[in-house]
Amino acid sequence: MGRLIVYGGNQWGDEGKGRLVHEFGEDADVVVRVAGGANSGHTQFVDGVKAVTHLAPSAVSHSRARCFLGNDMVIYPTGFEQEITDLTAKGFLRCQQLGVSRLAQLVMPYCLDLEKFREHARGKAAIGTTGRGIGTTYEMQVRRLGLRVTDLLHLEQIRAYVKTILNEINPELAHWGGQTYTVEDIMTFLEQARQILEPYILKEPLSKIVTQARDSEQNVLIELAQGPGLDKTHGTYPYVTSSCTLAGGACSGAGIGPTLIDEVYGVTKAYCTRVGGGPFPTELDGDLGEEIRARGQEYGASTGRPRRVGWHDGPQTRAASRVGGLTGVVITKGDVLQGINTMVCDYYQQGDRIIRDLDELDTLDLQDVQPHFQEMGSFDNDISGCRAFEDLPKAAQKLFLMISQLAGVPLVAISVGQHKGQTIIMQNPWRD
Ligand code: IMP
């Protein structure tokens, strides 16, 4: 009997979802990336070769899977083309089908321009976006000024709409001192986008494809992007991305109702990282933070920016697990902490007040809470060869159990190294 499993990050993104989705995706028939765009970068190694997917689902290298870019994604056409070229050159693109939902939005050139101007104008208060036009594209969508993948199939009919868009957008570009666009500029861009995307545009609604797959008892894997700390509503607003990063977002992004979801697995690092601005209560400044960054190769897969590093944040994990409705937790990068006396934050203090869940506080209050830590000890042996929980040193077991307790759900898997197979599987996600 098939299942539908949602995989998402449980922190501020970069939890190592790609690697796990890739691994569990081997038994999936349908894999859908539901939201976000090239702001994310999911790194995987196949046969020792490294590849990063930004838009395509992380399971594109599996020959069994049909892979889809979902309804709530934002797609920059030439970025998509480059990614496909790169994946093809590396022999990664082996899936049965790669399709793009007609409902996904197109990242337009003026979305990139506007984001650049606005971030610059914010100065120190900048969000620290990835500069991929993500927020401005979602903004166009809700302003009813967006262009969708489906529009590429109706180019002549949308000319008047393009004019309406430019009537609103050009004055803003001019206000920032930027280049304005003519209807012809945009039509040329859209024609090029059509040539790139047309072979991939789904003829059927993605909703129907996913529902039929479930009805015929196939395995469906839904891949979220970023993490709950960056969710547009539940994250540390305004230091967030502009999409829904929660399991709830899987419904709109894949076009399914929540009743179709069997499991929600949250992927979390044994420690914590964040890229860009915004509060990070357990952040480590100084040498230890530097060391963990270097060992964990904590540099953005999309932008190359150094990630901020900190201890595992229990109040964040509690809140994220509840909002995401997790049924299991997957832990990554525990191996990075070998030989380091590891701490886990179990609560924050604000004066006399104890705060157990991050979302009890406003973003502004998070700037000055005092994290309270529990010491987990350190383990000296290399754990990358462990394939059963019992094989792990006691300090590593303690750390992983603590995280599972904070999440309030059982451990599904623990990755103990960056290569495929370096994983302790506690529950087979498809069969248990
Ligand atoms: P945007 O998504 O480019 O608008 O960026 C908004 C915020 O989300 C910034 O702090 C980014 O660094 C962060 N962000 C966006 N995508 C990712 C991701 O995949 N991993 C980690 N942080 C991300």
Side-chain angles (χ1 to χ4, degrees), residues 12-15 17 33 37-42 115 119 126-136 138 225-227 230 238-243 273-278 300-303 305 307:
W12 276 287
D14 305 317
E15 298 89 351
K17 295 177 284 293
R33 159 91 190 269
N39 47 352
S40 73
H42 296 156
E115 176 170 74
E119 276 282 87
I127 306 297
T129 70
T130 56
R132 305 290 153 91
I134 307 299
T136 37
Y138 282 117
Q226 291 85 37
L230 292 173
Y239 299 99
V240 293
T241 189
S242 301
S243 56
T273 60
R274 166 161 211 171
V275 201
S302 286
T303 59
R305 290 182 292 176
R307 296 177 183 144

mmCIF file of all heavy atoms in Angstrom, residues 12-15 17 33 37-42 115 119 126-136 138 225-227 230 238-243 273-278 300-303 305 307, ligand 1:
data_model
loop_
_atom_site.group_PDB
_atom_site.id
_atom_site.type_symbol
_atom_site.label_atom_id
_atom_site.label_comp_id
_atom_site.label_asym_id
_atom_site.label_seq_id
_atom_site.Cartn_x
_atom_site.Cartn_y
_atom_site.Cartn_z
ATOM 1 N N TRP A 12 15.707 26.670 10.414
ATOM 2 C CA TRP A 12 15.717 27.851 9.538
ATOM 3 C C TRP A 12 16.235 27.484 8.151
ATOM 4 O O TRP A 12 16.927 28.282 7.516
ATOM 5 C CB TRP A 12 16.583 28.952 10.166
ATOM 6 C CG TRP A 12 15.856 29.786 11.165
ATOM 7 C CD1 TRP A 12 14.905 30.735 10.914
ATOM 8 C CD2 TRP A 12 16.019 29.781 12.589
ATOM 9 N NE1 TRP A 12 14.468 31.309 12.090
ATOM 10 C CE2 TRP A 12 15.133 30.752 13.134
ATOM 11 C CE3 TRP A 12 16.822 29.046 13.468
ATOM 12 C CZ2 TRP A 12 15.033 30.998 14.499
ATOM 13 C CZ3 TRP A 12 16.713 29.306 14.828
ATOM 14 C CH2 TRP A 12 15.836 30.268 15.326
ATOM 15 N N GLY A 13 15.927 26.302 7.706
ATOM 16 C CA GLY A 13 16.413 25.857 6.401
ATOM 17 C C GLY A 13 17.792 25.228 6.513
ATOM 18 O O GLY A 13 18.403 25.231 7.599
ATOM 19 N N ASP A 14 18.256 24.638 5.415
ATOM 20 C CA ASP A 14 19.594 24.042 5.338
ATOM 21 C C ASP A 14 19.798 22.887 6.312
ATOM 22 O O ASP A 14 20.904 22.674 6.809
ATOM 23 C CB ASP A 14 20.690 25.101 5.593
ATOM 24 C CG ASP A 14 20.558 26.276 4.663
ATOM 25 O OD1 ASP A 14 20.319 26.034 3.465
ATOM 26 O OD2 ASP A 14 20.666 27.408 5.126
ATOM 27 N N GLU A 15 18.758 22.131 6.584
ATOM 28 C CA GLU A 15 18.876 21.032 7.551
ATOM 29 C C GLU A 15 19.443 19.759 6.925
ATOM 30 O O GLU A 15 19.663 18.774 7.629
ATOM 31 C CB GLU A 15 17.500 20.702 8.163
ATOM 32 C CG GLU A 15 16.861 21.823 8.953
ATOM 33 C CD GLU A 15 16.006 22.736 8.090
ATOM 34 O OE1 GLU A 15 16.041 22.593 6.847
ATOM 35 O OE2 GLU A 15 15.312 23.597 8.652
ATOM 36 N N LYS A 17 17.852 18.417 4.079
ATOM 37 C CA LYS A 17 16.670 17.713 3.559
ATOM 38 C C LYS A 17 16.972 17.003 2.255
ATOM 39 O O LYS A 17 16.547 15.882 2.043
ATOM 40 C CB LYS A 17 15.536 18.700 3.241
ATOM 41 C CG LYS A 17 14.975 19.422 4.396
ATOM 42 C CD LYS A 17 13.921 20.406 3.949
ATOM 43 C CE LYS A 17 14.435 21.665 3.303
ATOM 44 N NZ LYS A 17 15.176 22.555 4.187
ATOM 45 N N ARG A 33 8.167 18.941 -5.352
ATOM 46 C CA ARG A 33 8.676 20.082 -4.592
ATOM 47 C C ARG A 33 7.570 21.123 -4.642
ATOM 48 O O ARG A 33 7.102 21.479 -5.733
ATOM 49 C CB ARG A 33 9.965 20.565 -5.273
ATOM 50 C CG ARG A 33 10.380 21.960 -4.974
ATOM 51 C CD ARG A 33 11.310 22.072 -3.795
ATOM 52 N NE ARG A 33 11.444 23.476 -3.461
ATOM 53 C CZ ARG A 33 12.378 24.293 -3.940
ATOM 54 N NH1 ARG A 33 13.301 23.809 -4.754
ATOM 55 N NH2 ARG A 33 12.401 25.559 -3.589
ATOM 56 N N GLY A 37 11.717 28.752 -4.487
ATOM 57 C CA GLY A 37 12.347 28.795 -5.798
ATOM 58 C C GLY A 37 13.817 28.532 -5.665
ATOM 59 O O GLY A 37 14.221 27.712 -4.825
ATOM 60 N N ALA A 38 14.617 29.278 -6.428
ATOM 61 C CA ALA A 38 16.058 29.026 -6.418
ATOM 62 C C ALA A 38 16.729 29.680 -5.211
ATOM 63 O O ALA A 38 17.950 29.798 -5.170
ATOM 64 C CB ALA A 38 16.677 29.521 -7.719
ATOM 65 N N ASN A 39 15.928 30.096 -4.224
ATOM 66 C CA ASN A 39 16.509 30.520 -2.940
ATOM 67 C C ASN A 39 17.054 29.307 -2.198
ATOM 68 O O ASN A 39 17.933 29.415 -1.363
ATOM 69 C CB ASN A 39 15.489 31.280 -2.069
ATOM 70 C CG ASN A 39 14.130 30.618 -1.966
ATOM 71 O OD1 ASN A 39 13.860 29.645 -2.652
ATOM 72 N ND2 ASN A 39 13.284 31.148 -1.115
ATOM 73 N N SER A 40 16.529 28.141 -2.498
ATOM 74 C CA SER A 40 17.003 26.935 -1.805
ATOM 75 C C SER A 40 18.049 26.218 -2.652
ATOM 76 O O SER A 40 18.108 26.398 -3.870
ATOM 77 C CB SER A 40 15.837 25.993 -1.536
ATOM 78 O OG SER A 40 15.439 25.396 -2.734
ATOM 79 N N GLY A 41 18.869 25.447 -1.966
ATOM 80 C CA GLY A 41 19.852 24.640 -2.682
ATOM 81 C C GLY A 41 19.993 23.338 -1.924
ATOM 82 O O GLY A 41 20.308 23.346 -0.741
ATOM 83 N N HIS A 42 19.674 22.247 -2.560
ATOM 84 C CA HIS A 42 19.725 20.950 -1.896
ATOM 85 C C HIS A 42 20.898 20.142 -2.455
ATOM 86 O O HIS A 42 20.911 19.791 -3.623
ATOM 87 C CB HIS A 42 18.392 20.212 -2.073
ATOM 88 C CG HIS A 42 17.249 20.929 -1.400
ATOM 89 N ND1 HIS A 42 15.950 20.788 -1.772
ATOM 90 C CD2 HIS A 42 17.245 21.805 -0.376
ATOM 91 C CE1 HIS A 42 15.182 21.547 -0.998
ATOM 92 N NE2 HIS A 42 15.949 22.168 -0.145
ATOM 93 N N GLU A 115 13.752 43.661 -5.975
ATOM 94 C CA GLU A 115 14.297 43.100 -4.727
ATOM 95 C C GLU A 115 15.649 43.745 -4.407
ATOM 96 O O GLU A 115 15.931 44.096 -3.261
ATOM 97 C CB GLU A 115 14.449 41.597 -4.844
ATOM 98 C CG GLU A 115 15.090 41.017 -3.606
ATOM 99 C CD GLU A 115 15.052 39.511 -3.567
ATOM 100 O OE1 GLU A 115 15.831 38.883 -4.314
ATOM 101 O OE2 GLU A 115 14.251 38.966 -2.822
ATOM 102 N N GLU A 119 16.178 45.858 -0.965
ATOM 103 C CA GLU A 119 17.103 45.354 0.057
ATOM 104 C C GLU A 119 18.178 46.393 0.341
ATOM 105 O O GLU A 119 18.519 46.647 1.483
ATOM 106 C CB GLU A 119 17.768 44.050 -0.423
ATOM 107 C CG GLU A 119 16.952 42.798 -0.170
ATOM 108 C CD GLU A 119 17.031 42.332 1.277
ATOM 109 O OE1 GLU A 119 16.221 42.823 2.086
ATOM 110 O OE2 GLU A 119 17.875 41.475 1.606
ATOM 111 N N ALA A 126 18.147 45.119 6.304
ATOM 112 C CA ALA A 126 17.885 44.224 5.157
ATOM 113 C C ALA A 126 17.552 42.817 5.656
ATOM 114 O O ALA A 126 18.054 42.374 6.690
ATOM 115 C CB ALA A 126 19.105 44.183 4.253
ATOM 116 N N ILE A 127 16.694 42.134 4.896
ATOM 117 C CA ILE A 127 16.306 40.768 5.268
ATOM 118 C C ILE A 127 17.476 39.826 5.023
ATOM 119 O O ILE A 127 17.586 38.780 5.663
ATOM 120 C CB ILE A 127 15.091 40.316 4.411
ATOM 121 C CG1 ILE A 127 13.933 41.321 4.499
ATOM 122 C CG2 ILE A 127 14.625 38.910 4.766
ATOM 123 C CD1 ILE A 127 13.336 41.496 5.863
ATOM 124 N N GLY A 128 18.339 40.209 4.084
ATOM 125 C CA GLY A 128 19.419 39.290 3.702
ATOM 126 C C GLY A 128 18.886 38.222 2.771
ATOM 127 O O GLY A 128 19.199 37.041 2.911
ATOM 128 N N THR A 129 18.064 38.636 1.820
ATOM 129 C CA THR A 129 17.468 37.653 0.900
ATOM 130 C C THR A 129 18.553 37.018 0.029
ATOM 131 O O THR A 129 19.682 37.506 -0.035
ATOM 132 C CB THR A 129 16.442 38.309 -0.053
ATOM 133 O OG1 THR A 129 17.152 39.130 -0.974
ATOM 134 C CG2 THR A 129 15.403 39.124 0.689
ATOM 135 N N THR A 130 18.168 35.978 -0.664
ATOM 136 C CA THR A 130 19.106 35.303 -1.547
ATOM 137 C C THR A 130 19.239 36.052 -2.881
ATOM 138 O O THR A 130 20.016 35.646 -3.740
ATOM 139 C CB THR A 130 18.644 33.865 -1.830
ATOM 140 O OG1 THR A 130 17.324 33.934 -2.371
ATOM 141 C CG2 THR A 130 18.640 33.027 -0.564
ATOM 142 N N GLY A 131 18.459 37.088 -3.074
ATOM 143 C CA GLY A 131 18.571 37.903 -4.287
ATOM 144 C C GLY A 131 18.015 37.208 -5.522
ATOM 145 O O GLY A 131 18.368 37.553 -6.644
ATOM 146 N N ARG A 132 17.118 36.244 -5.315
ATOM 147 C CA ARG A 132 16.568 35.501 -6.461
ATOM 148 C C ARG A 132 15.157 35.958 -6.846
ATOM 149 O O ARG A 132 14.427 35.238 -7.534
ATOM 150 C CB ARG A 132 16.546 33.993 -6.148
ATOM 151 C CG ARG A 132 17.890 33.422 -5.739
ATOM 152 C CD ARG A 132 18.831 33.407 -6.943
ATOM 153 N NE ARG A 132 20.219 33.481 -6.533
ATOM 154 C CZ ARG A 132 20.998 32.436 -6.279
ATOM 155 N NH1 ARG A 132 20.529 31.240 -6.409
ATOM 156 N NH2 ARG A 132 22.247 32.608 -5.905
ATOM 157 N N GLY A 133 14.740 37.103 -6.313
ATOM 158 C CA GLY A 133 13.421 37.635 -6.689
ATOM 159 C C GLY A 133 12.263 36.821 -6.127
ATOM 160 O O GLY A 133 11.152 36.859 -6.680
ATOM 161 N N ILE A 134 12.503 36.140 -5.037
ATOM 162 C CA ILE A 134 11.463 35.261 -4.493
ATOM 163 C C ILE A 134 10.306 36.075 -3.906
ATOM 164 O O ILE A 134 9.146 35.919 -4.300
ATOM 165 C CB ILE A 134 12.062 34.334 -3.389
ATOM 166 C CG1 ILE A 134 13.294 33.573 -3.902
ATOM 167 C CG2 ILE A 134 10.997 33.405 -2.808
ATOM 168 C CD1 ILE A 134 13.072 32.657 -5.051
ATOM 169 N N GLY A 135 10.649 36.988 -2.980
ATOM 170 C CA GLY A 135 9.613 37.770 -2.302
ATOM 171 C C GLY A 135 8.834 38.641 -3.274
ATOM 172 O O GLY A 135 7.609 38.753 -3.185
ATOM 173 N N THR A 136 9.533 39.242 -4.206
ATOM 174 C CA THR A 136 8.850 40.146 -5.134
ATOM 175 C C THR A 136 7.953 39.353 -6.099
ATOM 176 O O THR A 136 6.926 39.848 -6.538
ATOM 177 C CB THR A 136 9.880 40.995 -5.910
ATOM 178 O OG1 THR A 136 11.025 40.195 -6.197
ATOM 179 C CG2 THR A 136 10.332 42.188 -5.089
ATOM 180 N N TYR A 138 6.327 36.482 -5.275
ATOM 181 C CA TYR A 138 5.113 36.151 -4.496
ATOM 182 C C TYR A 138 4.253 37.397 -4.302
ATOM 183 O O TYR A 138 3.026 37.318 -4.275
ATOM 184 C CB TYR A 138 5.485 35.545 -3.142
ATOM 185 C CG TYR A 138 5.897 34.088 -3.238
ATOM 186 C CD1 TYR A 138 7.180 33.680 -2.904
ATOM 187 C CD2 TYR A 138 4.993 33.115 -3.658
ATOM 188 C CE1 TYR A 138 7.558 32.353 -2.990
ATOM 189 C CE2 TYR A 138 5.358 31.781 -3.749
ATOM 190 C CZ TYR A 138 6.643 31.401 -3.410
ATOM 191 O OH TYR A 138 7.002 30.088 -3.499
ATOM 192 N N ALA A 225 10.571 23.302 1.138
ATOM 193 C CA ALA A 225 11.848 24.028 1.066
ATOM 194 C C ALA A 225 11.974 24.936 2.279
ATOM 195 O O ALA A 225 10.996 25.215 2.963
ATOM 196 C CB ALA A 225 11.916 24.835 -0.221
ATOM 197 N N GLN A 226 13.208 25.385 2.548
ATOM 198 C CA GLN A 226 13.521 26.208 3.726
ATOM 199 C C GLN A 226 13.047 25.501 5.008
ATOM 200 O O GLN A 226 13.049 24.286 5.056
ATOM 201 C CB GLN A 226 12.905 27.622 3.604
ATOM 202 C CG GLN A 226 13.551 28.488 2.542
ATOM 203 C CD GLN A 226 12.987 28.266 1.165
ATOM 204 O OE1 GLN A 226 11.808 28.042 0.982
ATOM 205 N NE2 GLN A 226 13.823 28.320 0.154
ATOM 206 N N GLY A 227 12.641 26.298 6.009
ATOM 207 C CA GLY A 227 12.208 25.671 7.260
ATOM 208 C C GLY A 227 11.193 26.552 7.960
ATOM 209 O O GLY A 227 10.989 27.707 7.558
ATOM 210 N N LEU A 230 11.502 30.208 8.796
ATOM 211 C CA LEU A 230 11.453 31.165 7.683
ATOM 212 C C LEU A 230 10.065 31.243 7.063
ATOM 213 O O LEU A 230 9.871 31.905 6.041
ATOM 214 C CB LEU A 230 12.469 30.755 6.601
ATOM 215 C CG LEU A 230 13.948 30.863 6.974
ATOM 216 C CD1 LEU A 230 14.824 30.268 5.873
ATOM 217 C CD2 LEU A 230 14.339 32.312 7.220
ATOM 218 N N PRO A 238 9.836 40.044 10.333
ATOM 219 C CA PRO A 238 9.865 39.972 8.865
ATOM 220 C C PRO A 238 11.087 39.245 8.299
ATOM 221 O O PRO A 238 11.289 39.261 7.088
ATOM 222 C CB PRO A 238 9.915 41.451 8.479
ATOM 223 C CG PRO A 238 10.712 42.088 9.581
ATOM 224 C CD PRO A 238 10.376 41.318 10.830
ATOM 225 N N TYR A 239 11.900 38.624 9.146
ATOM 226 C CA TYR A 239 13.104 37.942 8.640
ATOM 227 C C TYR A 239 12.728 36.529 8.190
ATOM 228 O O TYR A 239 13.092 35.542 8.832
ATOM 229 C CB TYR A 239 14.187 37.943 9.720
ATOM 230 C CG TYR A 239 14.589 39.343 10.096
ATOM 231 C CD1 TYR A 239 14.063 39.953 11.226
ATOM 232 C CD2 TYR A 239 15.444 40.080 9.279
ATOM 233 C CE1 TYR A 239 14.398 41.261 11.545
ATOM 234 C CE2 TYR A 239 15.778 41.396 9.591
ATOM 235 C CZ TYR A 239 15.253 41.970 10.723
ATOM 236 O OH TYR A 239 15.575 43.268 11.031
ATOM 237 N N VAL A 240 11.994 36.478 7.141
ATOM 238 C CA VAL A 240 11.435 35.216 6.657
ATOM 239 C C VAL A 240 11.511 35.188 5.137
ATOM 240 O O VAL A 240 11.810 36.198 4.508
ATOM 241 C CB VAL A 240 9.952 35.077 7.099
ATOM 242 C CG1 VAL A 240 9.845 34.920 8.607
ATOM 243 C CG2 VAL A 240 9.112 36.262 6.635
ATOM 244 N N THR A 241 11.183 34.048 4.569
ATOM 245 C CA THR A 241 11.005 34.011 3.121
ATOM 246 C C THR A 241 9.526 34.336 2.845
ATOM 247 O O THR A 241 8.788 34.680 3.781
ATOM 248 C CB THR A 241 11.471 32.662 2.535
ATOM 249 O OG1 THR A 241 11.471 32.774 1.107
ATOM 250 C CG2 THR A 241 10.598 31.486 2.973
ATOM 251 N N SER A 242 9.076 34.224 1.618
ATOM 252 C CA SER A 242 7.736 34.730 1.301
ATOM 253 C C SER A 242 6.763 33.622 0.932
ATOM 254 O O SER A 242 5.724 33.882 0.325
ATOM 255 C CB SER A 242 7.844 35.749 0.166
ATOM 256 O OG SER A 242 8.688 36.788 0.569
ATOM 257 N N SER A 243 7.103 32.394 1.301
ATOM 258 C CA SER A 243 6.200 31.283 0.990
ATOM 259 C C SER A 243 5.864 30.535 2.269
ATOM 260 O O SER A 243 6.448 30.780 3.316
ATOM 261 C CB SER A 243 6.862 30.328 -0.012
ATOM 262 O OG SER A 243 8.093 29.879 0.502
ATOM 263 N N THR A 273 21.565 26.271 12.285
ATOM 264 C CA THR A 273 22.176 27.331 11.474
ATOM 265 C C THR A 273 21.089 28.258 10.949
ATOM 266 O O THR A 273 19.908 27.895 10.916
ATOM 267 C CB THR A 273 22.956 26.776 10.256
ATOM 268 O OG1 THR A 273 22.065 26.045 9.419
ATOM 269 C CG2 THR A 273 24.128 25.909 10.658
ATOM 270 N N ARG A 274 21.513 29.402 10.534
ATOM 271 C CA ARG A 274 20.596 30.378 9.928
ATOM 272 C C ARG A 274 21.398 31.239 8.959
ATOM 273 O O ARG A 274 22.546 31.586 9.263
ATOM 274 C CB ARG A 274 19.979 31.199 11.066
ATOM 275 C CG ARG A 274 19.277 32.427 10.644
ATOM 276 C CD ARG A 274 18.313 33.022 11.619
ATOM 277 N NE ARG A 274 17.314 33.638 10.758
ATOM 278 C CZ ARG A 274 16.166 34.148 11.125
ATOM 279 N NH1 ARG A 274 15.824 34.131 12.380
ATOM 280 N NH2 ARG A 274 15.339 34.666 10.250
ATOM 281 N N VAL A 275 20.810 31.557 7.816
ATOM 282 C CA VAL A 275 21.471 32.482 6.867
ATOM 283 C C VAL A 275 20.626 33.741 6.785
ATOM 284 O O VAL A 275 19.416 33.664 6.810
ATOM 285 C CB VAL A 275 21.545 31.914 5.429
ATOM 286 C CG1 VAL A 275 22.627 32.611 4.628
ATOM 287 C CG2 VAL A 275 21.742 30.446 5.403
ATOM 288 N N GLY A 276 21.271 34.888 6.655
ATOM 289 C CA GLY A 276 20.526 36.138 6.554
ATOM 290 C C GLY A 276 20.253 36.718 7.928
ATOM 291 O O GLY A 276 20.735 36.215 8.945
ATOM 292 N N GLY A 277 19.448 37.807 7.943
ATOM 293 C CA GLY A 277 19.205 38.511 9.200
ATOM 294 C C GLY A 277 18.175 37.817 10.071
ATOM 295 O O GLY A 277 17.650 36.764 9.726
ATOM 296 N N GLY A 278 17.910 38.431 11.240
ATOM 297 C CA GLY A 278 16.872 37.914 12.128
ATOM 298 C C GLY A 278 17.421 37.280 13.381
ATOM 299 O O GLY A 278 18.601 36.942 13.446
ATOM 300 N N GLY A 300 26.070 28.695 2.323
ATOM 301 C CA GLY A 300 24.836 28.555 1.557
ATOM 302 C C GLY A 300 25.035 27.825 0.239
ATOM 303 O O GLY A 300 25.944 28.182 -0.518
ATOM 304 N N ALA A 301 24.174 26.831 -0.038
ATOM 305 C CA ALA A 301 24.290 26.076 -1.285
ATOM 306 C C ALA A 301 23.868 26.928 -2.482
ATOM 307 O O ALA A 301 24.260 26.662 -3.610
ATOM 308 C CB ALA A 301 23.441 24.806 -1.207
ATOM 309 N N SER A 302 23.086 27.985 -2.243
ATOM 310 C CA SER A 302 22.667 28.838 -3.356
ATOM 311 C C SER A 302 23.537 30.066 -3.489
ATOM 312 O O SER A 302 23.829 30.519 -4.586
ATOM 313 C CB SER A 302 21.218 29.309 -3.161
ATOM 314 O OG SER A 302 20.354 28.255 -3.419
ATOM 315 N N THR A 303 23.935 30.639 -2.356
ATOM 316 C CA THR A 303 24.623 31.931 -2.425
ATOM 317 C C THR A 303 26.072 31.852 -1.967
ATOM 318 O O THR A 303 26.815 32.817 -2.144
ATOM 319 C CB THR A 303 23.906 32.947 -1.510
ATOM 320 O OG1 THR A 303 23.935 32.425 -0.169
ATOM 321 C CG2 THR A 303 22.477 33.185 -1.927
ATOM 322 N N ARG A 305 27.034 32.087 0.970
ATOM 323 C CA ARG A 305 27.228 32.902 2.182
ATOM 324 C C ARG A 305 27.515 32.011 3.389
ATOM 325 O O ARG A 305 26.906 30.942 3.521
ATOM 326 C CB ARG A 305 25.955 33.704 2.498
ATOM 327 C CG ARG A 305 25.671 34.809 1.525
ATOM 328 C CD ARG A 305 24.439 35.589 1.922
ATOM 329 N NE ARG A 305 23.216 34.791 1.790
ATOM 330 C CZ ARG A 305 22.016 35.225 2.139
ATOM 331 N NH1 ARG A 305 21.861 36.420 2.666
ATOM 332 N NH2 ARG A 305 20.944 34.467 1.965
ATOM 333 N N ARG A 307 26.985 30.467 6.844
ATOM 334 C CA ARG A 307 25.782 30.380 7.685
ATOM 335 C C ARG A 307 26.141 30.724 9.125
ATOM 336 O O ARG A 307 27.232 30.376 9.580
ATOM 337 C CB ARG A 307 25.215 28.956 7.640
ATOM 338 C CG ARG A 307 24.748 28.581 6.253
ATOM 339 C CD ARG A 307 24.246 27.137 6.209
ATOM 340 N NE ARG A 307 23.880 26.789 4.846
ATOM 341 C CZ ARG A 307 24.060 25.596 4.287
ATOM 342 N NH1 ARG A 307 24.593 24.605 4.987
ATOM 343 N NH2 ARG A 307 23.701 25.380 3.049
HETATM 344 P P1 IMP B 1 14.451 34.938 0.185
HETATM 345 O O1 IMP B 1 13.774 33.621 0.301
HETATM 346 O O2 IMP B 1 15.532 34.961 -0.861
HETATM 347 O O3 IMP B 1 13.472 36.057 0.032
HETATM 348 O O4 IMP B 1 15.241 35.247 1.570
HETATM 349 C C1 IMP B 1 14.548 35.498 2.794
HETATM 350 C C2 IMP B 1 15.299 34.891 3.956
HETATM 351 O O5 IMP B 1 15.228 33.476 3.882
HETATM 352 C C3 IMP B 1 16.793 35.218 4.006
HETATM 353 O O6 IMP B 1 17.203 35.292 5.355
HETATM 354 C C4 IMP B 1 17.446 34.010 3.341
HETATM 355 O O7 IMP B 1 18.777 33.837 3.747
HETATM 356 C C5 IMP B 1 16.540 32.916 3.850
HETATM 357 N N1 IMP B 1 16.494 31.740 2.977
HETATM 358 C C6 IMP B 1 15.806 31.598 1.828
HETATM 359 N N2 IMP B 1 15.976 30.374 1.306
HETATM 360 C C7 IMP B 1 16.760 29.717 2.156
HETATM 361 C C8 IMP B 1 17.254 28.385 2.176
HETATM 362 O O8 IMP B 1 17.000 27.543 1.307
HETATM 363 N N3 IMP B 1 18.048 28.072 3.233
HETATM 364 C C9 IMP B 1 18.325 28.951 4.222
HETATM 365 N N4 IMP B 1 17.873 30.190 4.252
HETATM 366 C C10 IMP B 1 17.097 30.580 3.223
#
